[in-house]
Amino acid sequence: MNLARSVYHVLTEPRQEWQRIAQDSRSSQHVFVLTVVPVTAFFLVLGLVSALLLRHFGPATEIETLSRDYLRMLIVTTVRAYGMGLVFIYIIARIMQGLSRRLGGSYSLPQALKLSIFSIVPLLIVRSLHILPFFRNDRVTENLIAMLAINFLASIYSIYLLYLGAPVLLEVPPEKRGKFTAISAAVLMLLTWLPIVLVVFMANLMGSLD
């Protein structure tokens, strides 16, 4: 499977690409190692580079410069996020696998893994490229609103990809596709939006302390 091609086409022509992704008959171990691991790693490395560029060229560089402590913190954070991301995708895949069987679909972990990783590509892009205004103390409210809006749009498209991919990869019956998507999306959004909610909470907390 050409991962770059699959990532691109699942965004631009998802109906056709889900059919091609479904034809991959590798085991769950191979799918995890050869698909989930590299796709997650690519977007995290992209996010690391993006964070460095924003730090160097962003408006906050008047008072902040790149330092060894910052680089060390960023690398450690990225490594932790990588591990958490892999666990997160595996958990989502297991939930989808079990839910699919309950709703009359197939009980396939390899297909569930592919559905979980490719359906969240819009969210991975938004998070990795830091497509949101650079955070400054005098613009906290505007930045948070923009962040929430962009992540919300990415979440909607991820749910749409999930809706299209469920009957193809996990053979969820058409009449139960809506229920499968709703439950899977609820779990997906809970895990992906929880960090954002924590950011908003901490920003408000720091603002009240000031």
Side-chain angles (χ1 to χ4, degrees), residues 181-198:
T181 303
I183 297 174
S184 299
V187 177
L188 178 65
M189 293 304 107
L190 175 64
L191 294 178
T192 55
W193 277 83
L194 184 59
I196 298 177
V197 172
L198 292 176

Side-chain angles (χ1 to χ4, degrees), residues 29-126:
Q29 291 86 352
H30 283 87
V31 171
F32 191 84
V33 173
L34 300 178
T35 301
V36 175
V37 169
V39 170
T40 307
F42 170 78
F43 282 109
L44 278 172
V45 171
L46 191 61
L48 178 63
V49 174
S50 177
L52 290 173
L53 291 176
L54 282 174
R55 180 81 173 194
H56 185 70
F57 296 106
T61 52
E62 318 172 356
I63 56 175
E64 298 177 358
T65 56
L66 288 171
S67 64
R68 290 184 179 178
D69 289 338
Y70 174 76
L71 291 174
R72 189 181 302 112
M73 179 273 296
L74 192 60
I75 292 173
V76 170
T77 302
T78 300
V79 172
R80 287 177 179 172
Y82 183 52
M84 291 176 61
L86 293 177
V87 172
F88 157 73
I89 292 168
Y90 183 79
I91 291 174
I92 288 293
R94 278 296 190 182
I95 292 173
M96 290 180 178
Q97 180 190 22
L99 183 60
S100 172
R101 180 170 63 176
R102 282 181 171 272
L103 297 178
S106 64
Y107 188 71
S108 172
L109 182 57
Q111 299 290 49
L113 283 168
K114 288 182 286 184
L115 182 61
S116 64
I117 183 62
F118 285 111
S119 63
I120 64 170
V121 163
L123 284 168
L124 291 175
I125 293 173
V126 168

Side-chain angles (χ1 to χ4, degrees), residues 130-144:
H130 296 262
I131 307 177
L132 46 99
F134 195 81
F135 277 78
R136 297 179 61 178
N137 292 332
D138 58 341
R139 296 177 56 191
V140 172
T141 302
E142 293 85 349
N143 288 327
L144 289 176

Side-chain angles (χ1 to χ4, degrees), residues 147-189:
M147 180 180 70
L148 291 172
I150 294 171
N151 277 273
F152 176 76
L153 293 175
S155 299
I156 293 299
Y157 197 61
S158 288
I159 294 173
Y160 173 69
L161 293 179
L162 180 61
Y163 179 79
L164 294 180
V168 179
L169 273 73
L170 291 176
E171 301 175 358
V172 177
E175 66 275 10
K176 296 182 178 179
R177 177 168 60 168
K179 184 176 182 179
F180 175 90
T181 303
I183 297 174
S184 299
V187 177
L188 178 65
M189 293 304 107

